[in-house]
PDB file of all heavy atoms in Angstrom:
ATOM      1  N   MET A 211     147.538  12.711   0.591  1.00  0.00           N
ATOM      2  CA  MET A 211     146.803  11.460   0.710  1.00  0.00           C
ATOM      3  C   MET A 211     147.709  10.250   0.462  1.00  0.00           C
ATOM      4  O   MET A 211     147.628   9.249   1.180  1.00  0.00           O
ATOM      5  CB  MET A 211     145.634  11.468  -0.281  1.00  0.00           C
ATOM      6  CG  MET A 211     144.697  10.292  -0.189  1.00  0.00           C
ATOM      7  SD  MET A 211     143.219  10.558  -1.211  1.00  0.00           S
ATOM      8  CE  MET A 211     143.910  11.009  -2.796  1.00  0.00           C
ATOM      9  N   LEU A 212     148.593  10.342  -0.525  1.00  0.00           N
ATOM     10  CA  LEU A 212     149.380   9.181  -0.937  1.00  0.00           C
ATOM     11  C   LEU A 212     150.754   9.104  -0.276  1.00  0.00           C
ATOM     12  O   LEU A 212     151.222   8.017   0.069  1.00  0.00           O
ATOM     13  CB  LEU A 212     149.545   9.176  -2.462  1.00  0.00           C
ATOM     14  CG  LEU A 212     148.254   9.084  -3.291  1.00  0.00           C
ATOM     15  CD1 LEU A 212     148.589   9.056  -4.774  1.00  0.00           C
ATOM     16  CD2 LEU A 212     147.443   7.858  -2.905  1.00  0.00           C
ATOM     17  N   LYS A 213     151.420  10.251  -0.105  1.00  0.00           N
ATOM     18  CA  LYS A 213     152.796  10.235   0.405  1.00  0.00           C
ATOM     19  C   LYS A 213     152.928  10.733   1.831  1.00  0.00           C
ATOM     20  O   LYS A 213     154.014  10.625   2.428  1.00  0.00           O
ATOM     21  CB  LYS A 213     153.704  11.052  -0.527  1.00  0.00           C
ATOM     22  CG  LYS A 213     153.820  10.444  -1.924  1.00  0.00           C
ATOM     23  CD  LYS A 213     154.933  11.097  -2.725  1.00  0.00           C
ATOM     24  CE  LYS A 213     155.097  10.410  -4.079  1.00  0.00           C
ATOM     25  NZ  LYS A 213     156.195  11.021  -4.878  1.00  0.00           N
ATOM     26  N   LYS A 214     151.871  11.312   2.368  1.00  0.00           N
ATOM     27  CA  LYS A 214     151.857  11.726   3.785  1.00  0.00           C
ATOM     28  C   LYS A 214     153.025  12.657   4.120  1.00  0.00           C
ATOM     29  O   LYS A 214     153.709  12.497   5.128  1.00  0.00           O
ATOM     30  CB  LYS A 214     151.913  10.507   4.712  1.00  0.00           C
ATOM     31  CG  LYS A 214     150.914   9.418   4.395  1.00  0.00           C
ATOM     32  CD  LYS A 214     149.488   9.865   4.591  1.00  0.00           C
ATOM     33  CE  LYS A 214     148.535   8.693   4.379  1.00  0.00           C
ATOM     34  NZ  LYS A 214     147.141   9.102   4.246  1.00  0.00           N
ATOM     35  N   ARG A 215     153.264  13.640   3.276  1.00  0.00           N
ATOM     36  CA  ARG A 215     154.302  14.620   3.558  1.00  0.00           C
ATOM     37  C   ARG A 215     153.859  16.009   3.116  1.00  0.00           C
ATOM     38  O   ARG A 215     152.864  16.166   2.392  1.00  0.00           O
ATOM     39  CB  ARG A 215     155.623  14.261   2.875  1.00  0.00           C
ATOM     40  CG  ARG A 215     155.622  14.378   1.355  1.00  0.00           C
ATOM     41  CD  ARG A 215     157.059  14.437   0.832  1.00  0.00           C
ATOM     42  NE  ARG A 215     157.149  14.381  -0.626  1.00  0.00           N
ATOM     43  CZ  ARG A 215     157.011  15.432  -1.420  1.00  0.00           C
ATOM     44  NH1 ARG A 215     156.739  16.625  -0.922  1.00  0.00           N
ATOM     45  NH2 ARG A 215     157.125  15.294  -2.740  1.00  0.00           N
ATOM     46  N   ALA A 216     154.605  17.021   3.555  1.00  0.00           N
ATOM     47  CA  ALA A 216     154.285  18.398   3.199  1.00  0.00           C
ATOM     48  C   ALA A 216     154.528  18.639   1.712  1.00  0.00           C
ATOM     49  O   ALA A 216     155.464  18.103   1.120  1.00  0.00           O
ATOM     50  CB  ALA A 216     155.129  19.363   4.032  1.00  0.00           C
ATOM     51  N   TYR A 217     153.674  19.470   1.119  1.00  0.00           N
ATOM     52  CA  TYR A 217     153.815  19.881  -0.279  1.00  0.00           C
ATOM     53  C   TYR A 217     154.910  20.936  -0.350  1.00  0.00           C
ATOM     54  O   TYR A 217     154.922  21.900   0.416  1.00  0.00           O
ATOM     55  CB  TYR A 217     152.489  20.447  -0.775  1.00  0.00           C
ATOM     56  CG  TYR A 217     152.414  20.717  -2.253  1.00  0.00           C
ATOM     57  CD1 TYR A 217     152.085  19.708  -3.147  1.00  0.00           C
ATOM     58  CD2 TYR A 217     152.618  21.992  -2.764  1.00  0.00           C
ATOM     59  CE1 TYR A 217     151.982  19.948  -4.503  1.00  0.00           C
ATOM     60  CE2 TYR A 217     152.519  22.249  -4.112  1.00  0.00           C
ATOM     61  CZ  TYR A 217     152.200  21.229  -4.989  1.00  0.00           C
ATOM     62  OH  TYR A 217     152.092  21.484  -6.335  1.00  0.00           O
ATOM     63  N   SER A 218     155.840  20.776  -1.288  1.00  0.00           N
ATOM     64  CA  SER A 218     157.071  21.562  -1.281  1.00  0.00           C
ATOM     65  C   SER A 218     157.157  22.517  -2.469  1.00  0.00           C
ATOM     66  O   SER A 218     157.162  22.092  -3.629  1.00  0.00           O
ATOM     67  CB  SER A 218     158.279  20.611  -1.295  1.00  0.00           C
ATOM     68  OG  SER A 218     159.475  21.310  -1.500  1.00  0.00           O
ATOM     69  N   TYR A 219     157.243  23.813  -2.156  1.00  0.00           N
ATOM     70  CA  TYR A 219     157.569  24.829  -3.154  1.00  0.00           C
ATOM     71  C   TYR A 219     159.076  25.095  -3.098  1.00  0.00           C
ATOM     72  O   TYR A 219     159.652  25.193  -2.015  1.00  0.00           O
ATOM     73  CB  TYR A 219     156.860  26.153  -2.869  1.00  0.00           C
ATOM     74  CG  TYR A 219     155.355  26.136  -2.959  1.00  0.00           C
ATOM     75  CD1 TYR A 219     154.578  26.100  -1.804  1.00  0.00           C
ATOM     76  CD2 TYR A 219     154.706  26.195  -4.181  1.00  0.00           C
ATOM     77  CE1 TYR A 219     153.197  26.105  -1.869  1.00  0.00           C
ATOM     78  CE2 TYR A 219     153.318  26.210  -4.263  1.00  0.00           C
ATOM     79  CZ  TYR A 219     152.569  26.169  -3.102  1.00  0.00           C
ATOM     80  OH  TYR A 219     151.201  26.183  -3.163  1.00  0.00           O
ATOM     81  N   LEU A 220     159.692  25.263  -4.249  1.00  0.00           N
ATOM     82  CA  LEU A 220     161.086  25.710  -4.331  1.00  0.00           C
ATOM     83  C   LEU A 220     161.105  27.039  -5.062  1.00  0.00           C
ATOM     84  O   LEU A 220     160.579  27.150  -6.173  1.00  0.00           O
ATOM     85  CB  LEU A 220     161.944  24.685  -5.072  1.00  0.00           C
ATOM     86  CG  LEU A 220     163.374  25.117  -5.425  1.00  0.00           C
ATOM     87  CD1 LEU A 220     164.187  25.400  -4.163  1.00  0.00           C
ATOM     88  CD2 LEU A 220     164.065  24.052  -6.286  1.00  0.00           C
ATOM     89  N   LYS A 221     161.710  28.059  -4.436  1.00  0.00           N
ATOM     90  CA  LYS A 221     161.817  29.377  -5.054  1.00  0.00           C
ATOM     91  C   LYS A 221     163.259  29.648  -5.445  1.00  0.00           C
ATOM     92  O   LYS A 221     164.173  29.472  -4.649  1.00  0.00           O
ATOM     93  CB  LYS A 221     161.313  30.448  -4.081  1.00  0.00           C
ATOM     94  CG  LYS A 221     161.276  31.865  -4.667  1.00  0.00           C
ATOM     95  CD  LYS A 221     162.589  32.631  -4.573  1.00  0.00           C
ATOM     96  CE  LYS A 221     163.025  32.906  -3.154  1.00  0.00           C
ATOM     97  NZ  LYS A 221     164.301  33.740  -3.130  1.00  0.00           N
ATOM     98  N   ILE A 222     163.456  30.062  -6.689  1.00  0.00           N
ATOM     99  CA  ILE A 222     164.771  30.452  -7.178  1.00  0.00           C
ATOM    100  C   ILE A 222     164.653  31.844  -7.807  1.00  0.00           C
ATOM    101  O   ILE A 222     163.758  32.076  -8.622  1.00  0.00           O
ATOM    102  CB  ILE A 222     165.305  29.465  -8.235  1.00  0.00           C
ATOM    103  CG1 ILE A 222     165.477  28.060  -7.642  1.00  0.00           C
ATOM    104  CG2 ILE A 222     166.616  29.970  -8.832  1.00  0.00           C
ATOM    105  CD1 ILE A 222     166.606  27.920  -6.675  1.00  0.00           C
ATOM    106  N   ALA A 223     165.537  32.753  -7.439  1.00  0.00           N
ATOM    107  CA  ALA A 223     165.643  34.063  -8.088  1.00  0.00           C
ATOM    108  C   ALA A 223     166.964  34.087  -8.837  1.00  0.00           C
ATOM    109  O   ALA A 223     168.033  33.979  -8.225  1.00  0.00           O
ATOM    110  CB  ALA A 223     165.576  35.186  -7.060  1.00  0.00           C
ATOM    111  N   SER A 224     166.906  34.207 -10.158  1.00  0.00           N
ATOM    112  CA  SER A 224     168.091  33.992 -10.983  1.00  0.00           C
ATOM    113  C   SER A 224     168.245  35.070 -12.053  1.00  0.00           C
ATOM    114  O   SER A 224     167.265  35.666 -12.510  1.00  0.00           O
ATOM    115  CB  SER A 224     167.995  32.612 -11.645  1.00  0.00           C
ATOM    116  OG  SER A 224     168.981  32.432 -12.630  1.00  0.00           O
ATOM    117  N   THR A 225     169.499  35.281 -12.462  1.00  0.00           N
ATOM    118  CA  THR A 225     169.770  36.091 -13.640  1.00  0.00           C
ATOM    119  C   THR A 225     169.463  35.268 -14.887  1.00  0.00           C
ATOM    120  O   THR A 225     169.234  34.054 -14.804  1.00  0.00           O
ATOM    121  CB  THR A 225     171.242  36.525 -13.674  1.00  0.00           C
ATOM    122  OG1 THR A 225     172.055  35.340 -13.739  1.00  0.00           O
ATOM    123  CG2 THR A 225     171.601  37.319 -12.422  1.00  0.00           C
ATOM    124  N   LEU A 226     169.512  35.903 -16.046  1.00  0.00           N
ATOM    125  CA  LEU A 226     169.225  35.185 -17.285  1.00  0.00           C
ATOM    126  C   LEU A 226     170.253  34.097 -17.567  1.00  0.00           C
ATOM    127  O   LEU A 226     169.946  33.118 -18.254  1.00  0.00           O
ATOM    128  CB  LEU A 226     169.173  36.167 -18.462  1.00  0.00           C
ATOM    129  CG  LEU A 226     167.975  37.136 -18.486  1.00  0.00           C
ATOM    130  CD1 LEU A 226     168.082  38.052 -19.694  1.00  0.00           C
ATOM    131  CD2 LEU A 226     166.652  36.373 -18.505  1.00  0.00           C
ATOM    132  N   ASP A 227     171.470  34.253 -17.047  1.00  0.00           N
ATOM    133  CA  ASP A 227     172.479  33.221 -17.262  1.00  0.00           C
ATOM    134  C   ASP A 227     172.565  32.237 -16.097  1.00  0.00           C
ATOM    135  O   ASP A 227     173.575  31.562 -15.897  1.00  0.00           O
ATOM    136  CB  ASP A 227     173.855  33.831 -17.566  1.00  0.00           C
ATOM    137  CG  ASP A 227     174.310  34.857 -16.539  1.00  0.00           C
ATOM    138  OD1 ASP A 227     173.452  35.387 -15.810  1.00  0.00           O
ATOM    139  OD2 ASP A 227     175.512  35.147 -16.474  1.00  0.00           O
ATOM    140  N   GLY A 228     171.478  32.146 -15.318  1.00  0.00           N
ATOM    141  CA  GLY A 228     171.356  31.078 -14.329  1.00  0.00           C
ATOM    142  C   GLY A 228     172.142  31.266 -13.055  1.00  0.00           C
ATOM    143  O   GLY A 228     172.464  30.278 -12.385  1.00  0.00           O
ATOM    144  N   LYS A 229     172.427  32.503 -12.656  1.00  0.00           N
ATOM    145  CA  LYS A 229     173.191  32.760 -11.437  1.00  0.00           C
ATOM    146  C   LYS A 229     172.283  33.323 -10.349  1.00  0.00           C
ATOM    147  O   LYS A 229     171.444  34.184 -10.597  1.00  0.00           O
ATOM    148  CB  LYS A 229     174.331  33.743 -11.704  1.00  0.00           C
ATOM    149  CG  LYS A 229     175.268  33.331 -12.835  1.00  0.00           C
ATOM    150  CD  LYS A 229     175.936  31.993 -12.566  1.00  0.00           C
ATOM    151  CE  LYS A 229     176.891  31.626 -13.698  1.00  0.00           C
ATOM    152  NZ  LYS A 229     177.516  30.302 -13.501  1.00  0.00           N
ATOM    153  N   ILE A 230     172.486  32.821  -9.116  1.00  0.00           N
ATOM    154  CA  ILE A 230     171.706  33.303  -7.979  1.00  0.00           C
ATOM    155  C   ILE A 230     172.528  34.234  -7.085  1.00  0.00           C
ATOM    156  O   ILE A 230     172.002  34.802  -6.137  1.00  0.00           O
ATOM    157  CB  ILE A 230     171.150  32.136  -7.145  1.00  0.00           C
ATOM    158  CG1 ILE A 230     172.274  31.251  -6.606  1.00  0.00           C
ATOM    159  CG2 ILE A 230     170.163  31.326  -7.975  1.00  0.00           C
ATOM    160  CD1 ILE A 230     171.803  30.173  -5.652  1.00  0.00           C
ATOM    161  N   ALA A 231     173.809  34.387  -7.400  1.00  0.00           N
ATOM    162  CA  ALA A 231     174.680  35.299  -6.660  1.00  0.00           C
ATOM    163  C   ALA A 231     175.986  35.449  -7.430  1.00  0.00           C
ATOM    164  O   ALA A 231     176.312  34.639  -8.311  1.00  0.00           O
ATOM    165  CB  ALA A 231     174.956  34.778  -5.244  1.00  0.00           C
ATOM    166  N   THR A 232     176.729  36.494  -7.100  1.00  0.00           N
ATOM    167  CA  THR A 232     178.051  36.671  -7.688  1.00  0.00           C
ATOM    168  C   THR A 232     179.028  35.660  -7.082  1.00  0.00           C
ATOM    169  O   THR A 232     178.694  34.933  -6.151  1.00  0.00           O
ATOM    170  CB  THR A 232     178.578  38.089  -7.423  1.00  0.00           C
ATOM    171  OG1 THR A 232     178.817  38.237  -6.008  1.00  0.00           O
ATOM    172  CG2 THR A 232     177.576  39.146  -7.868  1.00  0.00           C
ATOM    173  N   ARG A 233     180.243  35.660  -7.579  1.00  0.00           N
ATOM    174  CA  ARG A 233     181.253  34.727  -7.060  1.00  0.00           C
ATOM    175  C   ARG A 233     181.563  34.978  -5.583  1.00  0.00           C
ATOM    176  O   ARG A 233     182.023  34.082  -4.880  1.00  0.00           O
ATOM    177  CB  ARG A 233     182.542  34.810  -7.876  1.00  0.00           C
ATOM    178  CG  ARG A 233     183.228  36.173  -7.825  1.00  0.00           C
ATOM    179  CD  ARG A 233     184.585  36.118  -8.470  1.00  0.00           C
ATOM    180  NE  ARG A 233     184.500  35.826  -9.895  1.00  0.00           N
ATOM    181  CZ  ARG A 233     185.538  35.405 -10.612  1.00  0.00           C
ATOM    182  NH1 ARG A 233     186.714  35.211 -10.029  1.00  0.00           N
ATOM    183  NH2 ARG A 233     185.413  35.173 -11.904  1.00  0.00           N
ATOM    184  N   THR A 234     181.266  36.209  -5.098  1.00  0.00           N
ATOM    185  CA  THR A 234     181.497  36.521  -3.686  1.00  0.00           C
ATOM    186  C   THR A 234     180.279  36.240  -2.815  1.00  0.00           C
ATOM    187  O   THR A 234     180.322  36.446  -1.597  1.00  0.00           O
ATOM    188  CB  THR A 234     181.880  38.006  -3.531  1.00  0.00           C
ATOM    189  OG1 THR A 234     180.785  38.830  -3.971  1.00  0.00           O
ATOM    190  CG2 THR A 234     183.129  38.336  -4.330  1.00  0.00           C
ATOM    191  N   GLY A 235     179.185  35.789  -3.440  1.00  0.00           N
ATOM    192  CA  GLY A 235     177.972  35.499  -2.689  1.00  0.00           C
ATOM    193  C   GLY A 235     176.994  36.651  -2.617  1.00  0.00           C
ATOM    194  O   GLY A 235     175.940  36.526  -1.984  1.00  0.00           O
ATOM    195  N   HIS A 236     177.277  37.777  -3.274  1.00  0.00           N
ATOM    196  CA  HIS A 236     176.388  38.939  -3.228  1.00  0.00           C
ATOM    197  C   HIS A 236     175.158  38.687  -4.108  1.00  0.00           C
ATOM    198  O   HIS A 236     175.280  38.342  -5.279  1.00  0.00           O
ATOM    199  CB  HIS A 236     177.132  40.189  -3.716  1.00  0.00           C
ATOM    200  CG  HIS A 236     176.319  41.435  -3.586  1.00  0.00           C
ATOM    201  ND1 HIS A 236     175.700  42.046  -4.655  1.00  0.00           N
ATOM    202  CD2 HIS A 236     176.005  42.176  -2.497  1.00  0.00           C
ATOM    203  CE1 HIS A 236     175.049  43.121  -4.236  1.00  0.00           C
ATOM    204  NE2 HIS A 236     175.224  43.219  -2.931  1.00  0.00           N
ATOM    205  N   SER A 237     173.962  38.864  -3.522  1.00  0.00           N
ATOM    206  CA  SER A 237     172.734  38.558  -4.272  1.00  0.00           C
ATOM    207  C   SER A 237     171.638  39.607  -4.098  1.00  0.00           C
ATOM    208  O   SER A 237     170.530  39.406  -4.600  1.00  0.00           O
ATOM    209  CB  SER A 237     172.194  37.192  -3.841  1.00  0.00           C
ATOM    210  OG  SER A 237     171.860  37.204  -2.458  1.00  0.00           O
ATOM    211  N   ARG A 238     171.881  40.692  -3.383  1.00  0.00           N
ATOM    212  CA  ARG A 238     170.850  41.705  -3.139  1.00  0.00           C
ATOM    213  C   ARG A 238     171.034  42.894  -4.071  1.00  0.00           C
ATOM    214  O   ARG A 238     172.024  43.604  -3.966  1.00  0.00           O
ATOM    215  CB  ARG A 238     170.897  42.159  -1.688  1.00  0.00           C
ATOM    216  CG  ARG A 238     170.536  41.055  -0.710  1.00  0.00           C
ATOM    217  CD  ARG A 238     170.398  41.586   0.693  1.00  0.00           C
ATOM    218  NE  ARG A 238     170.000  40.521   1.611  1.00  0.00           N
ATOM    219  CZ  ARG A 238     169.816  40.702   2.920  1.00  0.00           C
ATOM    220  NH1 ARG A 238     169.997  41.908   3.457  1.00  0.00           N
ATOM    221  NH2 ARG A 238     169.456  39.694   3.684  1.00  0.00           N
ATOM    222  N   TRP A 239     170.058  43.160  -4.930  1.00  0.00           N
ATOM    223  CA  TRP A 239     168.922  42.259  -5.166  1.00  0.00           C
ATOM    224  C   TRP A 239     168.951  41.822  -6.624  1.00  0.00           C
ATOM    225  O   TRP A 239     169.195  42.641  -7.511  1.00  0.00           O
ATOM    226  CB  TRP A 239     167.588  42.921  -4.852  1.00  0.00           C
ATOM    227  CG  TRP A 239     167.409  43.271  -3.414  1.00  0.00           C
ATOM    228  CD1 TRP A 239     167.490  44.494  -2.843  1.00  0.00           C
ATOM    229  CD2 TRP A 239     167.091  42.359  -2.350  1.00  0.00           C
ATOM    230  NE1 TRP A 239     167.237  44.431  -1.495  1.00  0.00           N
ATOM    231  CE2 TRP A 239     166.986  43.115  -1.173  1.00  0.00           C
ATOM    232  CE3 TRP A 239     166.878  40.988  -2.272  1.00  0.00           C
ATOM    233  CZ2 TRP A 239     166.694  42.545   0.063  1.00  0.00           C
ATOM    234  CZ3 TRP A 239     166.581  40.422  -1.062  1.00  0.00           C
ATOM    235  CH2 TRP A 239     166.492  41.202   0.094  1.00  0.00           C
ATOM    236  N   ILE A 240     168.700  40.549  -6.864  1.00  0.00           N
ATOM    237  CA  ILE A 240     168.602  40.060  -8.238  1.00  0.00           C
ATOM    238  C   ILE A 240     167.285  40.496  -8.847  1.00  0.00           C
ATOM    239  O   ILE A 240     167.233  41.017  -9.961  1.00  0.00           O
ATOM    240  CB  ILE A 240     168.743  38.522  -8.280  1.00  0.00           C
ATOM    241  CG1 ILE A 240     170.173  38.113  -7.907  1.00  0.00           C
ATOM    242  CG2 ILE A 240     168.384  37.983  -9.665  1.00  0.00           C
ATOM    243  CD1 ILE A 240     170.374  36.624  -7.826  1.00  0.00           C
TER     244      ILE A 240
END
């Protein structure tokens, strides 16, 4: 009604120390 834009969800899958992938980019499966 006020901002005329889509409502946005952000999904993050993380380890306890805040990482979403290893240094090589491997993330399947956290």
Side-chain angles (χ1 to χ4, degrees):
M211 186 170 51
L212 299 181
K213 295 192 176 181
K214 310 295 185 193
R215 69 162 173 84
Y217 189 84
S218 171
Y219 295 102
L220 171 63
K221 185 275 296 183
I222 298 289
S224 170
T225 61
L226 290 179
D227 53 340
K229 305 300 181 183
I230 59 174
T232 67
R233 63 171 65 197
T234 63
H236 185 257
S237 62
R238 295 188 178 179
W239 295 104
I240 292 176

